[in-house]
């Protein structure tokens, strides 16, 4: 029997079994992604609660991010060695335990430690979930699968700030962690009952030396980059030393990985042209996208004086736009090729973001909301088709490792993009108010709160934001170059040698 004959006639559709698996994975992903955005709204409340500085409280976010970067490289091997179900259940369990303990935190040190534990679970949720869904659906339906998995990626930026603002204002900051308990418990039970028990593959030797290079290397690099806004540049020892050490460890890992049979991250995947082009496009996109997402709510809070909850509500049109185009883009990416979807999507994002390059202190809200909606339409046409293109030409056996590589790139590029755009904004604000870079945003906040200087400060701050959005526009425009090389027609998945051998024998 051939592979084509083995597929059902309606193989282009997602059947009920695949949709059930998708529902379980999406529930877990919603929990993890919501938690990355919901905490940002609570940072001010946490600062007051623990009587600490902003530099210290930022570790509630940074510690989580470092844990994510540390555990992601292990996920691909774990999914091969133990099957996908057991690592997925373990990741939900760790995330639940970290959530409960974080809600019970008694000081800032304990909160940071429990957030790291949360991150160890959260880091496995997305790559393991992506592997489960892709294996269940098959490479020929990966575009539709990515469209489904994109739902939590949209709900997080929309619902996170809204939910976080409401919980902090109406209940307690502790409930931004406790809210995960009922969601996680349901996700765990459903995963236990619904997810198929896949058999572990032939055991490979785990690359412990590679883990000791790549995981700390990523953590040190992200740590160094995350310190740039607080230190006001890259000249500080606490910025360049960990960053340099991180880069050295990553380079050492790459050199070693090309010479051993089973590295932690399979660099042979990058010999696949489609995968390589998709990863380059993803890198540029995540740097620009995460940077822009950081600046947008800050504009509403700092310049327009909105609360965190109101800022979250104002960002909703972006998610609504993406929800309209994402399902259609997923289907079209499978039928006509990702390149024909991604390129127009980037152009649409540029059109929406262009509105914000002209932003002022009193730009009408309908204009801003329209710009956000257009950006959302473009996001829905871009993010998931890039991921789908990366996986479409790979064998089933390669999907777990490819998902791992993709998630590492997304986390690293997103963290770097946030830091880069933060530095641009801080530098521009500092230049407007004639203060050091590290004091730019604080000085702007104080001036905006003073009625006598509010008008001047609002105009100057808005100019700084407009220039920052222009930089984000340039970064997103750079995505057009690698996107030109994405496939512009449907591509057939590679044959899995094990599957071909089995079918031939039959």
């Amino acid at each position: 029997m051939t592979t084509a004959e083995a597929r059902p006639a309606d193989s282009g559709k997602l059947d009920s079994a695949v949709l059930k698996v998708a529902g379980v994975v999406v529930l877990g992903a919603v929990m993890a992604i919501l938690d990355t955005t919901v905490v940002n709204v609570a940072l001010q409340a946490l600062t007051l609660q623990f009587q600490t500085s902003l530099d210290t409280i930022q570790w509630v976010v940074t510690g989580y991010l470092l844990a994510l970067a540390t555990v992601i490289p292990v996920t691909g091997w774990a999914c091969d060695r133990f099957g996908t179900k057991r690592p997925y259940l373990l990741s939900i369990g760790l995330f639940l335990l970290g959530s409960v303990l974080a809600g019970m935190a008694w000081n800032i040190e304990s909160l940071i430690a429990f957030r790291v534990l949360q991150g160890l679970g959260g880091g496995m949720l997305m790559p393991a979930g992506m592997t489960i869904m892709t294996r269940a659906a098959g490479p020929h339906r990966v575009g539709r699968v990515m469209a489904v998995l994109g739902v939590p990626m949209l709900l997080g930026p929309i619902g996170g700030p809204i939910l976080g603002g409401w919980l902090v204002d109406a209940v307690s900051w502790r409930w931004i962690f406790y809210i995960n308990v009922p969601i996680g418990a349901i996700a765990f039970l459903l995963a236990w009952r619904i997810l198929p028990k896949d058999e572990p593959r032939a055991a490979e030797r785990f690359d412990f030396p590679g883990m000791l290079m790549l995981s700390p290397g990523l953590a040190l690099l992200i740590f160094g980059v995350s310190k740039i806004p607080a230190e006001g540049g890259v000249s500080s020892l606490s910025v360049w030393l960990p960053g340099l050490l991180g880069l050295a460890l990553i380079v050492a890992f790459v050199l070693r990985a090309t010479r051993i049979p089973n590295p932690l991250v399979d660099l042979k995947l990058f010999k696949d042209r489609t995968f390589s082009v998709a990863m380059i496009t993803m890198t540029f996109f995540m740097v620009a996208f995460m940077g822009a997402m950081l600046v947008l709510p800050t504009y509403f809070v700092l310049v327009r004086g909105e609360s965190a909850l109101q800022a979250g509500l104002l960002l909703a049109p972006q998610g609504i736009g993406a929800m309209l185009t994402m399902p259609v883009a997923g289907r079209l990416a499978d039928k006509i090729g990702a390149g024909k979807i991604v390129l127009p999507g980037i152009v649409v994002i540029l059109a929406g973001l262009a509105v914000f390059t002209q932003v002022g202190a009193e730009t009408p809200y309908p204009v801003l909301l329209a710009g956000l909606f257009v950006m959302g339409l473009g996001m829905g046409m871009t993010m998931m088709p890039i991921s789908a293109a990366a996986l479409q030409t790979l064998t089933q056996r390669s999907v777990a490792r490819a998902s791992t590589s993709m998630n590492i790139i997304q986390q690293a590029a997103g963290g770097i993009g946030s830091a880069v755009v933060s530095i641009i904004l801080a530098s521009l604000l500092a230049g407007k108010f004639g203060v050091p870079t590290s004091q730019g945003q604080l000085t702007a906040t104080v001036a905006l709160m003073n009625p006598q200087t509010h008008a001047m400060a609002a105009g100057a701050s808005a100019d700084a934001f407009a220039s920052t959005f222009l930089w984000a526009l340039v970064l997103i425009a750079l995505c057009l170059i690698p996107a030109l090389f994405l496939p512009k027609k449907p591509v057939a998945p590679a044959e899995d040698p094990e599957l071909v051998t089995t079918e031939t024998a039959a």
Side-chain angles (χ1 to χ4, degrees):
M1 183 184 294
T2 65
T3 305
E5 290 170 344
R7 289 177 189 164
D10 62 342
S11 62
K13 299 179 181 179
L14 296 180
D15 52 66
S16 60
V18 175
L19 289 174
K20 287 179 181 178
V21 171
V24 173
V25 173
V26 165
L27 189 60
V30 165
M31 180 176 63
I33 294 175
L34 269 179
D35 216 62
T36 62
T37 55
V38 89
V39 172
N40 291 335
V41 180
L43 290 181
Q44 183 61 29
L46 293 173
T47 303
L48 298 174
Q49 172 70 32
F50 295 115
Q51 294 295 300
T52 186
S53 66
L54 184 60
D55 284 349
T56 302
I57 210 70
Q58 285 287 353
W59 276 101
V60 175
V61 176
T62 305
Y64 183 83
L65 182 61
L66 293 180
L68 289 180
T70 299
V71 78
I72 284 174
V74 185
T75 309
W77 172 83
C79 287
D80 278 346
R81 175 64 181 81
F82 302 106
T84 53
K85 184 172 183 175
R86 280 180 281 184
Y88 192 73
L89 289 171
L90 175 64
S91 65
I92 295 177
L94 283 175
F95 192 88
L96 271 176
L97 179 61
S99 297
V100 172
L101 293 174
M104 298 169 62
W106 54 90
N107 57 29
I108 187 59
E109 291 80 12
S110 64
L111 179 58
I112 292 170
F114 297 144
R115 280 285 286 170
V116 169
L117 180 61
Q118 249 192 328
L120 293 176
M124 288 191 288
L125 276 173
M126 284 301 289
M130 190 181 296
T131 301
I132 289 169
M133 286 182 62
T134 307
R135 285 183 179 176
H140 59 292
R141 297 185 292 186
V142 74
R144 293 161 180 80
V145 164
M146 289 301 158
V148 173
L149 196 57
V151 172
M153 293 185 177
L154 298 175
L155 292 177
I158 299 172
I162 297 172
L163 179 63
W166 177 76
L167 288 172
V168 170
D169 291 342
V171 191
S172 165
W173 65 267
R174 296 184 185 275
W175 276 92
I176 64 176
F177 303 111
Y178 289 149
I179 194 69
N180 293 322
V181 175
I183 301 173
I186 294 170
F188 189 91
L189 290 173
L190 290 176
W192 181 274
R193 297 196 60 175
I194 292 176
L195 294 185
K197 185 179 180 182
D198 51 342
E199 292 300 321
R201 299 180 185 273
E204 294 178 349
R205 194 173 199 172
F206 184 60
D207 184 15
F208 276 107
M211 185 186 73
L212 295 176
M213 292 178 188
L214 185 58
S215 293
L218 287 170
L220 284 167
L221 179 61
I222 294 173
F223 170 74
V225 173
S226 71
K227 294 289 287 183
I228 292 175
E231 298 296 334
V234 296
S235 59
S236 171
L237 184 69
S238 62
V239 172
W240 66 261
L241 182 58
L244 197 60
L245 286 173
L247 280 174
L249 286 170
I250 293 170
V251 170
F253 169 82
V254 170
L255 293 175
R256 181 178 177 277
T258 58
R259 292 195 285 264
I260 64 172
N262 297 309
L264 191 65
V265 174
D266 189 2
L267 299 181
K268 296 184 182 69
L269 291 169
F270 290 89
K271 291 181 179 179
D272 185 289
R273 179 182 178 276
T274 303
F275 181 80
S276 297
V277 169
M279 288 299 93
I280 294 169
T281 310
M282 177 71 74
T283 301
F284 279 102
F285 182 77
M286 289 303 292
V287 167
F289 173 73
M290 293 303 291
M293 292 307 97
L294 178 74
V295 174
L296 281 167
T298 308
Y299 165 78
F300 287 121
V301 172
L302 187 65
V303 178
R304 307 304 289 262
E306 304 290 353
S307 68
L309 177 57
Q310 290 168 327
L313 290 168
L314 287 167
L315 292 175
Q318 190 176 49
I320 294 169
M323 283 183 175
L324 292 176
T325 54
M326 187 170 283
V328 178
R331 288 194 294 270
L332 290 176
D334 287 342
K335 291 181 179 179
I336 65 175
K340 292 181 179 178
I341 305 299
V342 173
L343 282 168
I346 294 172
V347 173
V348 173
I349 292 174
L350 292 173
L353 189 56
V355 171
F356 287 85
T357 64
Q358 307 300 315
V359 78
E362 297 181 357
T363 304
Y365 276 120
V367 174
L368 299 177
L369 297 180
L372 286 168
F373 179 73
V374 172
M375 283 178 63
L377 293 174
M379 284 164 50
M381 298 167 63
T382 305
M383 196 155 41
M384 288 300 105
I386 294 174
S387 298
L391 301 179
Q392 276 178 329
T393 57
L394 302 178
T395 65
Q396 286 276 14
R397 187 173 179 81
S398 302
V399 166
R401 297 298 180 89
S403 299
T404 300
S405 300
M406 188 185 306
N407 278 273
I408 292 170
I409 288 170
Q410 287 176 340
Q411 291 291 338
I416 291 170
S418 297
V420 167
V421 176
S422 293
I423 275 295
I424 293 172
L425 177 60
S427 300
L428 290 168
L429 285 171
K432 295 290 183 181
F433 292 94
V435 296
T437 302
S438 59
Q439 299 297 316
Q441 188 166 337
L442 177 61
T443 303
T445 302
V446 172
L448 285 163
M449 292 175 63
N450 186 340
Q452 296 180 344
T453 58
H454 175 81
M456 178 277 295
S461 299
D463 287 344
F465 275 91
S467 299
T468 304
F469 286 123
L470 181 59
W471 277 100
L473 186 81
V474 171
L475 290 172
I476 291 178
L478 289 175
C479 297
L480 290 169
I481 299 172
L484 287 170
F485 299 95
L486 288 172
K488 295 180 178 61
K489 58 183 180 180
V491 292
E495 292 288 349
D496 193 322
E498 290 184 2
L499 181 62
V500 172
T501 301
T502 302
E503 290 173 344
T504 303

